[in-house]
Amino acid sequence: MRIAVDAMGGDHAPHLIVEGAIQASREYTDLEIILVGNESEIRALLPQDMNNIHIKHTDEVIGTDEEPVKAVKQKKNSSLVTATRMVKEGEADACISAGNTGAYMTAGLLMTGRIKGIERPALTIILPTASGRATVVLDVGANMDAKPEHLVQYAMMGSIYAEKILGYDRPSVGLLSVGTEESKGNELTKKAFPLIKASKVNFIGNVEGRDVPYGVADVIVCDGFSGNVLLKVTEGVVGTIFDLLKKEFTSTFTSKMGALLLKPGLKRFKKQMDYAEYGGAPLLGLKGICIKAHGSSNATAIKNAIGQARKFVSLDVNELIKKEVQIEEETE
């Protein structure tokens, strides 16, 4: 199995991207990892014994602030575009990038195309919850506007992902709205509700944003605008909690002593809420397997993103999505 990794994308490229690839290569010895980017920079960070890591040289990088479509078309030799093209051309089974999200989505669409029957691919994340059972949320930014039919497809793809990647038996699916009643919400959610209810997924109805961190559903379906707001607010709240705890636990001698006693529990809590434990966000609905890692990904996040790509390929999740779409079309 070959995984192409954009070594130049993200806030900490290339050193933490390469470090994550090294960790993954030692844990997943059945993989061939191809680091895409500036060869001299990457090689300087690699130890000599990395037999299952290879380099594909590119001399262009797409920045986080560049306009996606323009950047992809003008920088065809960039590490991000090259990694995606490798999937299209069969040089890699999956690709990973922590770079420009819009450019990665554009490259994925242009290079691999959509699965037949899927109108809009969705950026999919895994959120840790207080229940200890992670929640799949989609879409979180691939499409700012959506139609009711798109949300039905998100529900189906999210359900398959939760079942195959997270191992959930008949995962529950909730529709993000402003109230739990069927009549609550905007025009999009009101029209999507009966369509999702009539589908094959285990639909539990509307769910409110405040209930998402408690693990109210295994899969949360929403348009890209609402999903991105939910994601960013969640990241901000978690970051604020850790900052406030750190401030309180270092404010006095007594609190420092208390922090020492609580340290094991705080470590477990931090690990449970750490995005790095889940690796990356797949672009569900594309023909090729493209995993989007967080822009600030550390080495652990990259390692886990590679592990997620490995599982995605081995379980042939895309083929399962294709079959479900075909079944839906036949029963309509």
Side-chain angles (χ1 to χ4, degrees):
M1 193 185 298
R2 297 160 299 173
I3 309 293
V5 181
D6 170 14
M8 313 310 289
D11 301 340
H12 307 298
H15 62 291
L16 290 189
I17 309 298
V18 174
E19 177 57 35
I22 293 169
Q23 291 179 16
S25 72
R26 288 172 175 158
E27 183 166 337
Y28 309 114
T29 55
D30 58 334
L31 288 183
E32 178 186 341
I33 298 171
I34 307 163
L35 292 171
V36 184
N38 186 289
E39 184 170 7
S40 60
E41 290 185 48
I42 296 169
R43 197 167 296 283
L45 298 167
L46 281 176
Q48 297 293 321
D49 62 340
M50 292 289 98
N51 297 323
N52 57 339
I53 294 183
H54 305 284
I55 302 171
K56 188 175 182 70
H57 177 72
T58 61
D59 51 17
E60 291 181 316
V61 177
I62 293 178
T64 55
D65 57 346
E66 292 189 58
E67 197 281 318
V69 177
K70 184 179 178 181
V72 169
K73 289 184 176 180
Q74 292 185 349
K75 293 186 174 181
K76 295 180 180 179
N77 192 42
S78 63
S79 54
L80 183 152
V81 174
T82 301
T84 312
R85 187 168 56 244
M86 289 172 69
V87 174
K88 176 192 175 184
E89 296 176 352
E91 292 182 57
D93 298 297
C95 60
I96 296 165
S97 177
N100 186 312
T101 301
Y104 196 37
M105 185 71 189
T106 300
L109 280 168
L110 291 176
M111 297 292 170
T112 72
R114 299 187 302 269
I115 291 173
K116 185 180 179 182
I118 297 294
E119 293 185 36
R120 298 278 185 89
L123 188 59
T124 309
I125 61 160
I126 302 174
L127 282 182
T129 71
S131 70
R133 186 175 167 105
T135 292
V136 176
V137 184
L138 71 167
D139 175 27
V140 294
N143 309 287
M144 291 299 110
D145 298 299
K147 296 178 181 178
E149 295 77 14
H150 299 157
L151 298 191
V152 179
Q153 294 179 355
Y154 297 168
M156 180 266 293
M157 292 192 294
S159 185
I160 291 172
Y161 187 78
E163 181 182 349
K164 299 303 176 182
I165 300 299
L166 300 183
Y168 296 166
D169 181 35
R170 192 157 166 69
S172 58
V173 178
L175 177 62
L176 186 65
S177 190
V178 295
T180 57
E181 301 87 349
E182 184 174 350
S183 59
K184 291 289 183 74
N186 56 17
E187 286 302 308
L188 174 63
T189 57
K190 288 178 183 177
K191 290 180 179 178
F193 190 105
L195 297 179
I196 300 175
K197 188 176 181 180
S199 72
K200 292 171 60 179
V201 303
N202 181 21
F203 186 50
I204 63 170
N206 287 340
V207 298
E208 297 185 80
R210 66 184 176 188
D211 296 323
V212 174
Y214 292 96
V216 65
D218 297 321
V219 179
I220 303 293
V221 174
C222 52
D223 63 273
F225 182 85
S226 303
N228 195 264
V229 171
L230 174 66
L231 171 62
K232 297 298 172 58
V233 170
T234 302
E235 288 179 340
V237 169
V238 171
T240 301
I241 289 172
F242 281 120
D243 287 344
L244 290 175
L245 285 173
K246 185 177 180 180
K247 184 178 179 181
E248 286 299 319
F249 283 137
T250 57
S251 60
T252 66
F253 177 76
T254 303
S255 62
K256 288 178 181 178
M257 293 298 100
L260 285 174
L261 294 173
L262 292 170
K263 192 174 181 180
L266 290 171
K267 277 189 172 182
R268 288 193 298 272
F269 171 64
K270 185 176 181 180
K271 184 175 182 179
Q272 182 181 339
M273 301 305 290
D274 190 359
Y275 74 90
E277 294 299 315
Y278 299 98
L283 294 168
L284 292 181
L286 293 179
K287 286 182 182 177
I289 298 171
C290 301
I291 306 290
K292 176 65 178 72
H294 200 290
S296 59
S297 289
N298 56 23
T300 300
I302 296 300
K303 182 203 78 171
N304 288 332
I306 292 171
Q308 188 181 139
R310 173 177 175 269
K311 196 171 185 181
F312 205 110
V313 174
S314 63
L315 293 173
D316 208 357
V317 175
N318 272 359
E319 190 59 35
L320 293 171
I321 292 173
K322 289 177 188 176
K323 288 179 180 177
E324 284 299 317
V325 171
Q326 187 176 357
I327 291 170
E328 285 290 330
E329 288 179 341
E330 290 173 352
T331 55
E332 285 180 358

